[in-house]
Amino acid sequence: MSSDFSKLGAYTNSSDENWDIVTIGAGHNSLIASAYLAMAGKKVLVLERNRYAGGGVASMEMSEPGFHSERHAALHHLILANPLMINDELGLKSRFGLKYLQLDVPYGVVFDSGCLALYQDRKRTMEGIAKFSKEDAEAYDRFMDIAIQVTDVLIPSMFEPPRDLSEDIVKSPVANFIAEASQKSSYDVIRSWFKHDVVQLALVRLASEVQLAHPRRSETGLICYTVPGMLEKYGMAIPQGGGAAFTDSVIRCIMAYGGDVRLNTEATKVVVEDGRATAVLTRSGEIKAKEAIIGSIHPHLLPRFVDTLEPKIAEDARNTKHSDYTGFVIHAALKEPLKFKAGPTADSTVMNTICAPNMATLLENYDYLEKGILPKHAHFGASCTSQVDRSRAPAGKATLHLFCMTRYKILEGQHKWDEIKDSYTKEIFRQLQPYTLNLTPDLITSYHVVTPLDHERDTPSFQAGDICGLAHFHGQMGLGRPTPELAQYRVPGAKGLYLAGPFMHPGGGVWGGGRPVARRVLEDLDIDFDALFVNGTAGLARL
């Protein structure tokens, strides 16, 4: 009787010999890359370890049946700038059922005294700011002129493989603003433009929420321009039916072009033979890939998946840095929507932030988090997504999505999240109550919590609970994301293996980052991406 278990998981099923591309992980980045490749004529198989697809954009019933909520990512605003959406390159909107609901009030900051909303319409935002400071309202107009120009220079590159932008930046009229903001903190950039505490608080909170970084951390200032710039140019939206509807549209595209998505199938290793990635090992067998493998493999896990990785590349991958913060997310079923004391604008805002009373308190709370201490005044946003998308809750009721910024590692240890999550949830509700007219224990029929530890359990892409994959520090973006050796999606020493995920360019959030991955793969296969998807009709005629 044999006792050699070394080949377990390496048995090859003959029916799995015919795939051109095998993709590890069904997060939105790898799904989109797979959809492009399927439309380009490749036979694609996607493997997902979980019982559901979507990764960070997955939505589901969590608090109770009938109440749908995004488990991780609630907003789809970055992807609206992607040619994938602007030109509907995959037909997700025109043929595969995706519908985005634009938000009238994209972002709002709720204070004791009211609400300051940021609109896509600049004049509406300026009118709101003028109630606090006419001088800052005029400054916002000038600020947004710069923000739009910075966005025009930088954002198109987010949907292509990373390249050196220095020449483009030098030629632009906002070169000095980009250079300064790349070195400064978000706190310093905002304070250089605005004087009123409320306006500063609103914009600093927006930058720190998107970037998951301390406002005073250097090299975080650039996002102060790009996020408002994208908000004005493209707005914010949520997918009707939640992230699951978005995911289903991409899967329908993959399957329409002959691909397949298998759930409950965990990849354990990438087989490399003579310097080339040839197959994926799962616990039920080996699946060969004729042309390429796309892996949602976090840099910290890459040495585990690829035995032949060079030591220096493996070391650099392990040394990549996580974001300062992550999320403690509460999903609750409500008998009726929240009603804020700040009024109807706050009631209808999907990205609603409950803000500290002043900048000193805000910064003090971030300092507490830096030490692993849960602050007295938590940083959180609370919105009823079902106010915009009625499919997310039964008639007359509401789904509450509450995102609280926190840390994976707290003083008690990250393992303590399982023990304290319920008591901390009740504390957050107590902090939210004074801002509302109707939040009582009776309003909440049930709730479900996703802790930083749960983020990590949900997907290997969120190591240490980092929902951005890795930090968005200036030196860890573009040509440095995740490391210079891996930034072009290729894995040295494993030809045909490509990386996709929030830890790769363009970064964490719903960017549709599979598009540049697909471009790189097709380039290496001598297939013209532009001829198919920019200037051509790709696989339309094959449907």
Side-chain angles (χ1 to χ4, degrees):
M1 182 172 62
S2 175
S3 59
D4 181 8
F5 292 94
S6 62
K7 293 184 178 181
L8 189 64
Y11 304 114
T12 302
N13 186 328
S14 60
S15 65
D16 276 337
E17 296 273 344
N18 299 314
W19 301 104
D20 298 319
I21 312 289
V22 176
T23 299
I24 300 170
H28 98 279
N29 292 293
S30 53
L31 281 175
I32 287 171
S34 299
Y36 274 105
L37 295 168
M39 190 177 275
K42 300 302 176 183
K43 191 174 180 184
V44 181
L45 174 64
V46 182
L47 308 174
E48 170 56 49
R49 67 195 282 268
N50 284 320
R51 58 177 175 80
Y52 58 87
V57 304
S59 65
M60 60 195 72
E61 297 173 318
M62 285 179 282
S63 56
E64 63 183 75
F67 293 83
H68 299 264
S69 188
E70 265 83 4
R71 193 161 172 84
H72 307 285
L75 289 172
H76 291 215
H77 59 290
L78 305 170
I79 198 172
L80 300 181
N82 194 324
L84 161 72
M85 291 301 162
I86 294 174
N87 303 321
D88 198 21
E89 291 176 338
L90 295 176
L92 299 182
K93 294 184 288 186
S94 60
R95 302 198 305 281
F96 298 114
L98 176 62
K99 182 178 180 181
Y100 274 119
L101 303 173
Q102 287 285 339
L103 305 180
D104 178 56
V105 191
Y107 181 77
V109 180
V110 178
F111 301 90
D112 291 333
S113 56
C115 176
L116 175 58
L118 303 185
Y119 298 92
Q120 187 172 8
D121 183 339
R122 188 187 304 186
K123 289 184 179 179
R124 292 177 72 186
T125 303
M126 290 173 62
E127 289 170 1
I129 293 175
K131 295 177 182 178
F132 298 93
S133 167
K134 291 183 179 180
E135 183 180 355
D136 277 358
E138 295 172 358
Y140 185 80
D141 194 24
R142 298 190 299 273
F143 169 79
M144 286 307 301
D145 284 341
I146 300 300
I148 292 296
Q149 292 181 76
V150 171
T151 299
D152 287 340
V153 173
L154 299 181
I155 295 304
S157 68
M158 305 302 264
F159 310 111
E160 306 291 339
R163 62 181 179 85
D164 185 356
L165 295 176
S166 56
E167 187 174 340
D168 295 3
I169 293 171
V170 168
K171 291 180 179 178
S172 77
V174 290
N176 289 339
F177 289 96
I178 293 174
E180 290 176 6
S182 297
Q183 299 303 315
K184 287 184 175 182
S185 70
S186 59
Y187 172 80
D188 288 334
V189 170
I190 295 303
R191 283 175 61 86
S192 71
W193 280 97
F194 305 102
K195 296 182 178 180
H196 196 282
D197 207 41
V198 166
V199 181
Q200 291 180 0
L201 279 166
L203 293 172
V204 166
R205 281 286 278 130
L206 176 61
S208 64
E209 280 187 71
V210 173
Q211 197 158 225
L212 295 178
H214 194 297
R216 279 182 163 157
R217 178 180 279 278
S218 61
E219 300 186 348
T220 60
L222 201 54
I223 206 165
C224 295
Y225 294 115
T226 56
V227 170
M230 293 183 73
L231 186 152
E232 181 170 308
K233 290 200 69 169
Y234 306 104
M236 283 191 182
I238 59 174
Q240 187 175 53
F246 172 91
T247 300
D248 288 347
S249 72
V250 184
I251 291 175
R252 282 193 287 270
C253 177
I254 292 170
M255 298 185 74
Y257 290 98
D260 195 11
V261 177
R262 293 184 189 170
L263 305 179
N264 301 306
T265 306
E266 183 172 6
T268 59
K269 191 77 68 176
V270 175
V271 178
V272 179
E273 299 174 309
D274 298 324
R276 183 173 188 84
T278 59
V280 174
L281 289 187
T282 74
R283 292 191 171 90
S284 58
E286 179 184 277
I287 303 174
K288 292 187 178 297
K290 293 180 181 178
E291 297 184 83
I293 295 169
I294 298 173
S296 292
I297 306 171
H298 194 281
H300 294 182
L301 302 179
L302 191 59
R304 185 190 305 173
F305 274 83
V306 182
D307 292 335
T308 59
L309 204 62
E310 295 178 15
K312 179 63 165 60
I313 293 175
E315 180 183 3
D316 290 347
R318 289 193 192 97
N319 288 335
T320 50
K321 305 299 183 183
H322 288 301
S323 303
D324 291 341
Y325 310 113
T326 183
F328 178 93
V329 191
I330 304 169
H331 307 275
L334 307 183
K335 292 179 181 178
E336 66 177 17
L338 281 182
K339 296 177 183 177
F340 285 91
K341 292 178 181 178
T345 298
D347 295 345
S348 61
T349 304
V350 170
M351 191 175 179
N352 230 351
T353 293
I354 310 300
C355 207
N358 52 63
M359 185 64 75
T361 301
L362 181 80
L363 294 175
E364 181 182 53
N365 291 343
Y366 276 112
D367 291 340
Y368 276 122
L369 282 177
E370 283 287 288
K371 300 172 185 175
I373 301 171
L374 298 178
K376 182 178 178 181
H377 300 284
H379 297 312
F380 63 91
S383 307
C384 292
T385 53
S386 52
Q387 286 291 83
V388 176
D389 182 0
R390 300 296 182 180
S391 71
R392 300 188 184 205
K397 299 183 179 182
T399 297
L400 173 66
H401 184 278
L402 194 155
F403 182 95
C404 178
M405 192 180 296
T406 188
R407 289 182 71 89
Y408 173 76
K409 291 184 178 180
I410 51 180
L411 281 182
E412 298 88 344
Q414 62 266 26
H415 61 282
K416 284 290 185 179
W417 278 117
D418 287 336
E419 297 178 28
I420 69 171
K421 66 180 181 181
D422 290 307
S423 60
Y424 194 54
T425 294
K426 292 164 187 174
E427 172 59 26
I428 297 300
F429 283 140
R430 281 192 288 270
Q431 292 189 31
L432 173 61
Q433 188 179 44
Y435 295 88
T436 72
L437 296 170
N438 65 336
L439 179 59
T440 65
D442 289 340
L443 182 69
I444 304 164
T445 60
S446 60
Y447 68 88
H448 179 87
V449 181
V450 180
T451 71
L453 198 56
D454 293 324
H455 293 311
E456 183 177 55
R457 290 165 174 159
D458 282 355
T459 169
S461 292
F462 295 163
Q463 290 294 295
D466 189 348
I467 56 177
C468 286
L470 291 172
H472 286 151
F473 305 149
H474 179 66
Q476 206 167 254
M477 295 294 287
L479 291 169
R481 190 170 187 89
T483 66
E485 298 90 348
L486 299 171
Q488 295 300 328
Y489 310 108
R490 306 180 183 104
V491 177
K495 186 176 182 181
L497 174 60
Y498 303 84
L499 300 180
F503 39 79
M504 302 299 295
H505 174 80
V510 189
W511 284 97
R515 185 183 191 268
V517 179
R519 179 183 280 277
R520 176 64 72 225
V521 175
L522 290 174
E523 173 190 303
D524 289 351
L525 295 176
D526 294 323
I527 297 173
D528 190 333
F529 182 94
D530 288 343
L532 288 175
F533 299 105
V534 179
N535 307 317
T537 56
L540 296 181
R542 296 195 291 110
L543 272 180

